[in-house]
Amino acid sequence: MTKETTTTTTKTVCVFCGSSFGTKKSYSDSATKLGQLLAERGYGLVYGGGTTGLMGLIAKSVFSNGGSVHGVIPDALVSKERADPDKIEAINKELLNNVDNHVGATPIDETKYGKTTIVPDMHSRKKMMALEANSGFVAMPGGFGTLEEIMEITTWSQLGIHKRPIVLFNVDGFYDCFIEFLNKAIENGFISKTNGNIVSIATTPEEVIEKLESYVVPQGRFNLTWQNELKD
């Protein structure tokens, strides 16, 4: 465990996802498979630092397959999103359908989940993850936090703060209604057609990798100068 920021030198992807497992086994299976593929393709992972839910699954998968993992978590959330390793199996088996299945103790097991940086607040967490994600961002199923994180990073792209790939991993149609909303916003003139291409859609772990590696920065984004934000 460290409280210092280190410089990222490898390809690194930031994955936003739930600290719960959700109600479908496909969510867990997809997180595990995506973690495996990221590691096999030489990507490191930066994520929200939890050991529970989809967060814990993808971190453990990347790390166990030889990839680097950096979890970034606010001090206030350590007791909420870090579960005792001895409880993880019980959580997986018995609390799969419970949205409160991320209640746990506070140990941080770096032998299973990689390096952890504890930060003072949510803003520090998101900025550190964004700075390290030199190869893109992926949103898996999640709740309020996941949606807020992927939309902020999408807005940053629209504003010209960065030009990195952004992929919405639509596992089992989880994001269908949200994609419909985005199309409605384009249709009604609130998002331009070109900026609608800032977010790529993938339905399988393999397609997530393909979308990351074939991403083309859309035309029509704002060409603004940002002094204290991400540098691309």
Side-chain angles (χ1 to χ4, degrees), residues 53-92:
L54 302 188
M55 271 205 255
L57 289 176
I58 193 165
K60 189 173 182 179
S61 180
V62 172
F63 196 71
S64 66
N65 283 284
S68 65
V69 176
H70 183 192
V72 184
I73 188 167
D75 184 65
L77 285 179
V78 171
S79 63
K80 184 68 174 173
E81 294 183 353
R82 285 274 177 174
D84 188 318
D86 292 336
K87 296 180 181 179
I88 294 294
E89 289 303 318
I91 288 172
N92 272 298

Side-chain angles (χ1 to χ4, degrees), residues 17-22 27-28 31-32 47 50-60 80-83 88 91-92 95-96 98-103 113 140-141:
C17 58
S19 56
S20 294
F21 295 97
Y27 303 148
S28 297
T32 299
Y47 81 112
T51 61
T52 60
L54 302 188
M55 271 205 255
L57 289 176
I58 193 165
K60 189 173 182 179
K80 184 68 174 173
E81 294 183 353
R82 285 274 177 174
I88 294 294
I91 288 172
N92 272 298
L95 300 176
L96 183 62
N98 183 352
V99 75
D100 293 320
N101 58 19
H102 46 30
V103 176
Y113 300 98
M140 290 199 64

Side-chain angles (χ1 to χ4, degrees), residues 8 10-17 31-32 34-39 42-50 54-64 66-72 112-116 128-129 132-140 212:
T8 301
T10 59
K11 298 187 300 182
T12 301
V13 172
C14 177
V15 176
F16 305 121
C17 58
T32 299
L34 179 58
Q36 176 190 339
L37 291 178
L38 286 171
Y43 291 98
L45 170 72
V46 61
Y47 81 112
L54 302 188
M55 271 205 255
L57 289 176
I58 193 165
K60 189 173 182 179
S61 180
V62 172
F63 196 71
S64 66
S68 65
V69 176
H70 183 192
V72 184
K112 293 182 179 180
Y113 300 98
K115 180 180 72 172
T116 295
M128 185 176 290
M129 290 194 297
E132 292 201 13
N134 56 29
S135 297
F137 305 86
V138 176
M140 290 199 64
L212 287 170

Side-chain angles (χ1 to χ4, degrees), residues 106-204:
T106 61
I108 296 176
D109 187 353
E110 295 189 358
T111 67
K112 293 182 179 180
Y113 300 98
K115 180 180 72 172
T116 295
T117 296
I118 298 177
V119 294
D121 51 55
M122 292 293 285
H123 296 293
S124 300
R125 177 199 222 182
K126 291 189 292 182
K127 185 168 186 178
M128 185 176 290
M129 290 194 297
L131 286 168
E132 292 201 13
N134 56 29
S135 297
F137 305 86
V138 176
M140 290 199 64
F144 289 136
T146 300
L147 188 60
E148 183 270 337
E149 287 167 329
I150 196 64
M151 284 297 93
E152 180 173 51
I153 215 66
T154 300
T155 302
W156 285 13
S157 178
Q158 179 178 254
L159 294 176
I161 294 173
H162 75 90
K163 54 185 179 183
R164 301 168 195 173
I166 299 172
V167 181
L168 198 64
F169 188 4
N170 189 25
V171 181
D172 257 357
F174 179 83
Y175 282 113
D176 283 354
C177 291
F178 181 63
I179 294 168
E180 182 180 350
F181 160 77
L182 294 178
N183 290 332
K184 197 74 171 178
I186 294 170
E187 178 185 334
N188 284 273
F190 292 102
I191 300 174
S192 71
K193 289 183 179 180
T194 54
N195 281 339
N197 294 322
I198 290 173
V199 179
S200 297
I201 310 298
T203 58
T204 66

